[in-house]
Amino acid sequence: MTVRPALLPAALLALGLALGLTGCAGTKASEASASGSSSSSPTDAADRSAAGQRIEVQVASGKVTGDTGRIAVAAGTHVTLVITSDVADEAHLHGYDEEAELTPGKPAEIAFDATIPGVFEVELHEAGTVLLSLQVG
Ligand SMILES: [Cu+2]
């Protein structure tokens, strides 16, 4: 037969690798940085969902301004995420696994349909900065 003892350690190694690949740094760090995010009202979100929702953030000197914090999005909404950074970086929307290359001073867009419920971070891979958390539901 073809049962080889070497397969077991290999399987354990693969399992260990899989456990280490649960996401980028700071997947659960949204609570700590959401202190200034009480500005969106439920009626606001309902109004915007019909025509799609535009979320804009700006990054300058390492600081994030605009639609930062936790942003509520109704499930099914077409979302356009616009990110402007003063340094080159790569933006990553977790959960949906959408990425955008950021060129200094040029707005980059990630457009998607919010079909996956949950809370997902938008993060800069180089800087490690969390721009916002998307709350879909
Ligand atoms: Cu990421």
Side-chain angles (χ1 to χ4, degrees):
M1 302 297 187
T2 57
V3 178
R4 286 176 292 160
L7 285 178
L8 185 58
L12 288 173
L13 181 63
L15 183 64
L17 285 174
L19 289 172
L21 287 174
T22 49
C24 308
T27 302
K28 287 291 174 190
S30 57
E31 300 295 343
S33 60
S35 54
S37 63
S38 56
S39 59
S40 63
S41 69
T43 48
D44 235 18
D47 282 348
R48 282 177 295 184
S49 62
Q53 187 167 342
R54 190 174 175 90
I55 298 169
E56 295 189 52
V57 287
Q58 297 82 37
V59 185
S61 304
K63 290 189 176 179
V64 187
T65 54
D67 298 324
T68 187
R70 185 174 288 204
I71 308 296
V73 174
T77 303
H78 184 73
V79 176
T80 304
L81 197 55
V82 184
I83 303 152
T84 309
S85 172
D86 64 343
V87 292
D89 210 319
E90 183 180 79
H92 181 203
L93 167 58
H94 287 192
Y96 292 80
D97 231 9
E98 296 277 354
E99 292 183 339
E101 291 293 331
L102 303 182
T103 303
K106 288 190 177 179
E109 291 193 4
I110 298 176
F112 62 99
D113 293 314
T115 52
I116 309 170
V119 178
F120 307 102
E121 290 182 342
V122 181
E123 147 189 90
L124 295 182
H125 273 172
E126 289 298 321
T129 310
V130 175
L131 301 180
L132 60 104
S133 295
L134 206 65
Q135 183 176 335
V136 182

